Amino acid sequence: MNQHAPNDQKFRTSLLEENDGPGHNPTDNRTMGDIIATRFSRRGFLKGSLAVSAIAATVSPIAIILADDARAAAASAFNFDEVEAGIDDKHHVAAGYDADVLLRWGDPIFADAPEFDPLSQSAEAQARQFGYNNDYVGYVPLDGSAEHGLLVVNHEYTNEHLMFPGIVKIVEGKIEVAPADQKRVDIEMAAHGGSIVEIRKEGGKWQVVRDGKLNRRITSTTEMQLTGPAAGHDRLKTNADATGTKVFGTVNNCAGGVTPWGTYIMAEENFHGYFGGELPADHPEAANYKRLGVPEGTYEWLKFYDRFDVAKEPNEPNRFGWIVEVDVQDPNSLPKKRTALGRFKHEGAESIVAPDGRVVFYLGDDERFDYVYKFVTKGKFNPNDRSANLDLLDEGTLYVAKFAEDGSFEWLPLVQGEGPLTADNGFVSQADVVIETRRAADLLGATKMDRPEDIQPNAVNGKVYVMLTNNSKRKADQVDAANPRAENAFGHIIELVEDGGDFTATKGKWEVLLKCGDPSIAEVGASFSTSTTQNGWFGMPDNCAVDSAGRLWVATDGNSPKATGRTDGLWAVDTEGEARATSKLFFRVPVGAEMCGPLFAPDDQTAFVAVQHPGDGGEDWESFGRPSYYEDLSTRWPDFKPDMPVRPAVVAITRQGGGKIGV
Ligand code: FEO
Ligand code: CA
Ligand code: CA
């Protein structure tokens, strides 16, 4: 049945999230990315760790002298021996730390779940095992413990060429990819979603509690409820659901959050890729879907499930692109799609309690030229009554950010009836505003950003960090103060300070914390401190974490042989004093992987990191010398057994002998 067809497309990779946004530049001008790519590709992947010394040779003399500036180095909030940047098939962590694999794709997470057998996979088994491509990692303490809790993990998407044998053939130098059959699609759907897994630290090492009563898998078929202003609206009704409130499954859950009341947030990001078929050009949802790139058609689910075919079920895409909230204390609870937080390519939803008790969620819309949002609950957090908080996400105000050249910013409310958000513009009710959040934000004049990813409030210093991964399509005449580089191949980080230190404020000040990329290449315009070594710089900030001391840790997506001559990893970034914008490499992933998570346990004694899509060719498999697929992988991390494929996994990093990380 494996009928292979020539396929000029790349394998399904994290590139899905780089689909062109509305600012797509149709010219073929040489970009900054091309210039840098040429520079790194000459070194080649096959040189392996030699790439590090090749990079070192490019350091300017000034940078070498300044790298020895002991005064700035002494001011760093971090203390560990930096990992050497480079590329190979393994992970690497700073000396004196253990990086232990805790949960791999396919690991059983229930007492009765089958062991992983890559040659005999089934949807039934996968639904009882840890899913694919772990991204967000959160921790919900049990009994207030830093050593016993629920690990909540998103499974963003699937890479079939790495998961299944017989998908790829190389015929006369061309890649041929087998079309999907229903069994494979069902496994893919079961490998999506999220996992809730009880874990416990014993003897300094984390263990999975397989018979944990709260363990749960959420997949692309789990029943969920739509709540908030769009619930029940005609635009959410389908043949299968006349109520517009009942939806099956969640997809492309990228980053997320754990709320102050201990629920788990799964953000639906690149949902457009799951929909195919053709919507008539005059269909009422045509403009809505065009703004979101729906249908994109990467996945083949529509062959077997009509709801993913927009010609057959035109409203189904309106039921995705939301923030999903899961009550982890009840494994039978219906996850809720909270429509009040808007519909777009949600990266994550990290939150903080404001001084008056309202709760503020920071939200990124990860696409080139899209926006930064926040949501402020109407009600107040009640720390003494968990159940009183469980529907806080159904009422509140959604805002979008507008950044001014003078270093100030404003949060513009997305409220029906205010400003241009009226029936004349198609916004008859708040349901229309949240269903078409992007179009509403367009009308308000929000600032078009360079792919907003994770946004993290810092409870220690009151600031908020915004990761902007990159935007190679920004032209010179589209540069603004908050997106200061044309052809921004390596991204940047912005720091926000809300007025009065109040996270509910509608105004504040911002500044660029860091422009990323190789500081030794003048054209890149990176702004790492001069204390940052050749191992310490990075490109493409994506996820981030703030530990309980208020220190910033940045995880990346997109470093590669071609882009930066190094793999992705976890970098410690100073934000205060003389050491500000100094970065150090703490952990790096095996070849082809992206660094997700990260998360610090409440006692700062464990850093959980998620190694996503290891062994994937990514955007530049040419520089690997060959494509990487099930039968011919660039790495067999983490098992390194010839009969076991590469497996995305969550890793727990602890200090040998115990103690806090990086002090
Ligand atoms: Fe799934 Fe925006 O990273
Ligand atoms: Ca991400
Ligand atoms: Ca990403």
Side-chain angles (χ1 to χ4, degrees):
M1 287 294 289
N2 271 348
Q3 204 180 6
H4 290 256
N7 188 336
D8 291 335
Q9 291 183 331
K10 293 175 170 124
F11 296 140
R12 186 177 309 146
T13 71
S14 51
L15 286 178
L16 183 59
E17 66 199 9
E18 293 192 11
N19 281 324
D20 295 335
H24 171 57
N25 180 343
T27 70
D28 56 4
N29 296 346
R30 197 158 181 255
T31 65
M32 176 66 77
D34 294 334
I35 296 166
I36 307 302
T38 305
R39 183 169 180 153
F40 281 109
S41 64
R42 286 196 206 105
R43 299 185 180 118
F45 165 68
L46 296 176
K47 289 177 186 160
S49 58
L50 290 177
V52 175
S53 50
I55 294 162
T58 68
V59 183
S60 73
I62 292 172
I64 289 171
I65 293 164
L66 293 177
D68 290 333
D69 186 334
R71 188 187 49 167
S76 174
F78 300 96
N79 183 23
F80 61 86
D81 293 333
E82 187 170 46
V83 172
E84 202 174 27
I87 301 154
D88 63 28
D89 62 348
K90 299 176 183 62
H91 69 251
H92 296 264
V93 69
Y97 290 84
D98 289 329
D100 299 310
V101 174
L102 178 64
L103 277 161
R104 300 163 296 188
W105 166 51
D107 278 344
I109 61 163
F110 300 93
D112 62 351
E115 292 295 329
F116 179 58
D117 180 351
L119 298 180
S120 181
Q121 299 181 47
S122 70
E124 296 70 30
Q126 177 64 82
R128 309 286 287 166
Q129 298 165 336
F130 197 63
Y132 206 75
N133 270 347
N134 30 223
D135 196 307
Y136 177 75
V137 180
Y139 178 84
V140 182
L142 291 172
D143 306 322
S145 174
E147 300 195 338
H148 182 207
L150 299 173
L151 202 69
V152 297
V153 182
N154 283 351
H155 303 296
E156 188 180 19
Y157 66 104
T158 47
N159 296 107
E160 290 69 39
H161 62 292
L162 304 175
M163 294 172 71
F164 303 108
I167 300 288
V168 173
K169 281 187 181 167
I170 311 290
V171 179
E172 295 175 356
K174 285 199 78 171
I175 296 160
E176 296 188 356
V177 180
D181 56 33
Q182 181 159 4
K183 182 177 181 192
R184 192 180 107 190
V185 163
D186 288 345
I187 296 168
E188 291 174 30
M189 293 176 80
H192 275 69
S195 293
I196 298 163
V197 187
E198 185 176 334
I199 57 170
R200 187 192 291 275
K201 202 174 179 190
E202 287 169 2
K205 296 288 180 188
W206 288 94
Q207 314 288 340
V208 170
V209 182
R210 255 194 216 181
D211 57 358
K213 291 184 174 50
L214 301 178
N215 290 2
R216 183 176 188 185
R217 273 304 319 281
I218 290 163
T219 74
S220 294
T221 56
T222 303
E223 184 179 340
M224 307 196 170
Q225 191 182 349
L226 288 149
T227 71
H233 194 277
D234 284 349
R235 298 175 73 178
L236 269 54
K237 291 176 181 168
T238 64
N239 288 314
D241 173 28
T243 71
T245 60
K246 181 175 166 180
V247 57
F248 288 95
T250 182
V251 295
N252 216 268
N253 305 94
C254 188
V258 168
T259 64
W261 50 96
T263 55
Y264 162 33
I265 302 282
M266 311 168 73
E268 295 186 325
E269 195 190 30
N270 290 299
F271 66 97
H272 59 305
Y274 300 81
F275 294 94
E278 274 194 48
L279 196 71
D282 60 353
H283 191 279
E285 299 296 349
N288 164 22
Y289 290 175
K290 183 162 187 248
R291 182 67 177 81
L292 289 155
V294 173
E296 195 269 350
T298 295
Y299 283 79
E300 296 173 82
W301 298 4
L302 77 163
K303 284 186 186 172
F304 309 101
Y305 297 99
D306 286 352
R307 66 189 176 113
F308 296 108
D309 185 337
V310 295
K312 295 174 179 163
E313 201 58 272
N315 281 349
E316 187 76 1
N318 278 338
R319 293 141 65 85
F320 291 83
W322 302 108
I323 286 293
V324 183
E325 183 180 18
V326 185
D327 180 357
V328 296
Q329 301 297 339
D330 176 3
N332 297 312
S333 62
L334 289 183
K336 309 254 173 75
K337 295 200 178 188
R338 301 293 192 183
T339 67
L341 284 79
R343 174 170 167 272
F344 44 86
K345 294 177 187 173
H346 275 287
E347 171 72 22
E350 297 284 7
S351 58
I352 193 157
V353 180
D356 72 357
R358 288 182 291 163
V359 188
V360 182
F361 288 76
Y362 289 92
L363 312 166
D365 183 356
D366 182 6
E367 188 145 2
R368 297 181 186 103
F369 302 107
D370 263 293
Y371 306 130
V372 166
Y373 297 85
K374 79 172 177 184
F375 178 80
V376 181
T377 61
K378 182 179 179 197
K380 294 181 178 177
F381 171 57
N382 183 340
N384 304 313
D385 182 0
R386 181 176 178 277
S387 65
N389 304 307
L390 287 179
D391 289 320
L392 275 180
L393 290 183
D394 279 343
E395 276 191 278
T397 305
L398 182 63
Y399 298 89
V400 66
K402 183 171 185 174
F403 294 88
E405 303 287 311
D406 65 357
S408 66
F409 69 84
E410 202 179 340
W411 291 109
L412 310 171
L414 291 148
V415 176
Q416 195 276 337
E418 292 189 12
L421 307 184
T422 61
D424 287 348
N425 286 317
F427 299 105
V428 174
S429 68
Q430 187 64 16
D432 293 319
V433 172
V434 293
I435 291 169
E436 291 189 79
T437 306
R438 282 183 170 184
R439 192 168 68 83
D442 292 344
L443 289 172
L444 292 178
T447 302
K448 297 177 177 183
M449 309 300 288
D450 288 346
R451 290 188 58 201
E453 299 250 23
D454 219 355
I455 305 174
Q456 186 75 50
N458 184 336
V460 176
N461 65 11
K463 296 176 179 172
V464 181
Y465 304 105
V466 183
M467 305 295 120
L468 296 156
T469 239
N470 60 19
N471 183 354
S472 55
K473 300 260 195 281
R474 185 177 292 276
K475 292 180 281 188
D477 63 1
Q478 294 174 309
V479 161
D480 58 41
N483 299 277
R485 288 187 289 184
E487 301 173 4
N488 180 8
F490 303 106
H492 58 290
I493 300 173
I494 287 181
E495 188 180 68
L496 311 180
V497 181
E498 303 267 20
D499 266 3
D502 179 354
F503 295 101
T504 69
T506 56
K507 286 185 167 59
K509 297 268 190 290
W510 66 270
E511 61 182 286
V512 173
L513 169 65
L514 193 56
K515 288 182 275 184
C516 304
D518 185 345
S520 74
I521 303 174
E523 305 104 292
V524 169
S527 64
F528 288 95
S529 84
T530 50
S531 298
T532 303
T533 74
Q534 271 299 307
N535 301 309
W537 65 266
F538 57 84
M540 290 70 85
D542 183 333
N543 298 119
C544 66
V546 170
D547 63 23
S548 56
R551 301 179 306 170
L552 179 65
W553 301 78
V554 175
T556 60
D557 171 17
N559 292 271
S560 69
K562 185 170 160 185
T564 55
R566 58 195 57 204
T567 59
D568 283 318
L570 181 64
W571 276 266
V573 178
D574 275 296
T575 58
E576 308 299 325
E578 290 180 64
R580 184 171 163 90
T582 302
S583 171
K584 279 173 74 176
L585 179 55
F586 181 69
F587 176 87
R588 76 176 212 229
V589 298
V591 63
E594 164 182 350
M595 181 86 284
C596 297
L599 169 81
F600 283 77
D603 60 4
D604 284 348
Q605 295 203 23
T606 305
F608 295 100
V609 291
V611 176
Q612 193 190 67
H613 62 78
D616 192 13
E619 64 181 302
D620 58 352
W621 69 29
E622 308 93 314
S623 60
F624 293 63
R626 57 179 173 77
S628 173
Y629 56 100
Y630 190 96
E631 287 82 2
D632 190 11
L633 291 160
S634 59
T635 175
R636 290 190 182 275
W637 188 89
D639 303 312
F640 295 103
K641 291 181 181 162
D643 58 350
M644 198 52 85
V646 64
R647 300 164 79 181
V650 171
V651 172
I653 302 173
T654 52
R655 192 168 180 157
Q656 291 165 0
K660 294 190 180 201
I661 304 276
V663 296

